[in-house]
Amino acid sequence: MQTQYQYGIYIGRFQPFHLGHLRTLNLALQKAEEVILILGSYRAAADTRNPWQLEERIAMIQACLDHQTRQRIHFVPVRDWLYSDNLWLAAIQQKVQEITEGSESIVVMGHHKDASSYYLHLFPQWDFLETGYYLNLHSRQIRAAYFTGQEQDYRDKLPPVITHFLEQFKTSDRYQQLCEEYRFLQEYQQAWKKAPYPPVFVTMDAVVVQSGHVLMVRRKARPGLGLMALPGGFLRQEETLVEGMLRELKEETRLKVPLPVLRGSIVDSQVFDAPGRSLRGRTITHAYFLQLSGEELPAVKGSDDAQKAKWISLADLYAQEEQIYEDHLQIIQHFVSRV
Ligand code: NAD
């Protein structure tokens, strides 16, 4: 087989892997001897944008390929760093280097579908091939049809083995949860449709750390029901950001530390504004870093109408990355890497 490149790189979430993805993969297999398939958003908590975990995504893609073709593909998971393209690029560079061992015959392939495809042009060291758009297929529309039971709207957009996988997945608890979450998000967005402009929500989060432990809550409401999150919430009309953050912290955790001490423990703050950070809609959060000290971790208790609060060691937190809501792990990492 005569190929133009030694390695082809194809980056995506493949949620799910549709006929447009398959066409690009086949093109990559024509252009390159081996294909490095970067599976993005690795270890992100399951939500309606990223419903399937790494192993499920790999199984779906492999099911579309024959045995010989599978041997030519490297599956490479890469997690997101929403606030640092450089860290994301470093991870990709490192993993590609391990596979290609110094080869310069490398092409990145993909389609510039919208502003979110900017990442395709962050690889000046490699050639780039624009693959073009195929059949007007959007993963987002396929997921919308899937979570609302409109099978006729996605069936012909997927390889038959993927349709079969999705049918089987319908019997899982996760599917039911995701359908409810999808409904919730649709209703939430519908409620704001009458506003003259699309809303921008303002929230506050508290990153309270003591002796390598972070104070987390378990979400009792949608979205992200059951996931671990930072204590926080929406800003009220009459309060400042700091007051709002302290109010939410107290309400959600009943942290047994007096308010003046908490106020005096704020050592840093930062705005987190990645446009896609929340599925509810555009949400800008102001996170505050509170560094506490003492021999014992202060008592906490989840209130009835909020979430169960708990101190979690950083090691346990990192081990449970796919249980953490939105970008909260990245917010924690931002602060703990500095102080
Ligand atoms: P995707 O599955 O939506 O798309 C993958 C590729 O297929 C893209 O090139 C897309 O344009 C192309 N494609 C989609 N539909 C097509 C069609 N019908 N015909 C032809 N091509 C089609 O994946 P994605 O969301 O673009 O994946 C990017 C990944 O990189 C994500 O996981 C994202 O989070 C990650 N990322 C991370 C960072 C960071 O962490 N700093 C920065 C940039 C990107």
Side-chain angles (χ1 to χ4, degrees):
M1 181 187 48
Q2 195 61 33
T3 52
Q4 199 178 336
Y5 294 92
Q6 207 174 346
Y7 297 98
I9 298 176
Y10 185 30
I11 303 169
R13 285 182 297 119
F14 313 120
Q15 297 274 17
F17 190 72
H18 57 53
L19 286 172
H21 294 136
L22 181 60
R23 178 178 172 270
T24 303
L25 179 58
N26 282 328
L27 197 64
L29 287 159
Q30 283 168 26
K31 293 275 173 198
E33 284 166 40
E34 294 175 37
V35 174
I36 301 172
L37 215 50
I38 309 271
L39 293 136
S41 305
Y42 173 47
R43 298 196 71 186
D47 61 21
T48 55
R49 184 173 42 189
N50 287 307
W52 295 288
Q53 290 157 358
L54 175 73
E55 297 73 19
E56 292 163 331
R57 288 187 280 163
I58 293 179
M60 280 194 257
I61 297 169
Q62 281 186 327
C64 299
L65 310 167
D66 62 41
H67 177 74
Q68 224 178 352
T69 309
R70 282 184 212 166
Q71 312 308 311
R72 294 173 55 206
I73 298 181
H74 303 264
F75 291 95
V76 175
V78 174
R79 55 167 59 72
D80 291 337
W81 276 273
L82 280 190
Y83 301 97
S84 172
D85 278 345
N86 285 323
L87 286 176
W88 181 72
L89 288 169
I92 293 184
Q93 289 165 1
Q94 226 166 356
K95 291 181 183 205
V96 168
Q97 220 162 55
E98 278 166 23
I99 294 167
T100 58
E101 295 176 335
S103 168
E104 289 184 354
S105 177
I106 300 174
V107 61
V108 177
M109 303 178 66
H111 167 59
H112 195 102
K113 63 174 186 268
D114 54 33
S116 74
S117 311
Y118 74 96
Y119 66 85
L120 287 170
H121 305 294
L122 298 180
F123 304 99
Q125 68 277 46
W126 302 320
D127 284 357
F128 173 68
L129 185 74
E130 164 63 56
T131 61
Y133 203 42
Y134 185 59
L135 283 183
N136 205 17
L137 289 174
H138 302 267
S139 298
R140 188 162 40 82
Q141 287 169 2
I142 293 172
R143 292 193 301 272
Y146 182 57
F147 291 129
T148 50
Q150 311 292 314
E151 199 186 318
Q152 70 283 1
D153 289 346
Y154 65 83
R155 188 173 257 284
D156 62 346
K157 298 179 168 58
L158 300 169
V161 284
I162 305 285
T163 309
H164 180 67
F165 176 94
L166 296 198
E167 282 313 300
Q168 285 190 326
F169 187 75
K170 278 186 177 173
T171 58
S172 67
D173 285 348
R174 194 159 14 116
Y175 177 73
Q176 298 305 331
Q177 290 297 328
L178 289 169
C179 287
E180 278 174 43
E181 180 109 340
Y182 190 82
R183 235 182 337 264
F184 169 87
L185 290 166
Q186 289 296 103
E187 283 167 14
Y188 194 94
Q189 283 159 6
Q190 196 57 38
W192 286 95
K193 278 268 154 62
K194 285 191 189 136
Y197 301 102
V200 177
F201 304 111
V202 178
T203 57
M204 304 78 49
D205 286 299
V207 182
V208 186
V209 170
Q210 182 171 326
S211 311
H213 290 68
V214 190
L215 186 52
M216 301 291 286
V217 295
R218 187 68 75 175
R219 285 184 64 80
K220 274 198 173 171
R222 295 193 186 284
L225 177 71
L227 295 178
M228 275 191 291
L230 290 165
F234 290 95
L235 181 69
R236 290 183 181 164
Q237 297 287 330
E238 75 284 1
E239 65 191 3
T240 64
L241 290 163
V242 172
E243 281 165 7
M245 178 274 294
L246 291 170
R247 171 184 56 74
E248 289 284 353
L249 173 61
K250 279 289 194 183
E251 275 175 17
E252 293 189 352
T253 70
R254 296 201 209 158
L255 175 64
K256 274 232 156 91
V257 176
L259 267 178
V261 178
L262 289 177
R263 220 183 283 272
S265 306
I266 299 171
V267 290
D268 200 0
S269 69
Q270 176 73 33
V271 174
F272 293 90
D273 66 345
R277 60 180 295 279
S278 175
L279 288 176
R280 248 185 318 224
R282 187 85 170 94
T283 307
I284 294 174
T285 203
H286 297 254
Y288 290 84
F289 184 44
L290 288 77
Q291 178 84 57
L292 302 181
S293 56
E295 288 197 1
E296 284 186 14
L297 297 170
V300 291
K301 196 174 167 211
S303 62
D304 292 343
D305 61 345
Q307 304 93 338
K308 213 171 169 50
K310 205 177 162 194
W311 287 102
I312 301 192
S313 74
L314 288 168
D316 281 346
L317 199 68
Y318 295 161
Q320 299 175 64
E321 197 172 330
E322 47 280 277
Q323 286 294 311
I324 303 172
Y325 182 56
E326 292 184 344
D327 54 356
H328 290 195
L329 182 64
Q330 292 170 59
I331 294 175
I332 295 165
Q333 283 175 324
H334 166 87
F335 291 118
V336 300
S337 64
R338 281 155 194 251
V339 180

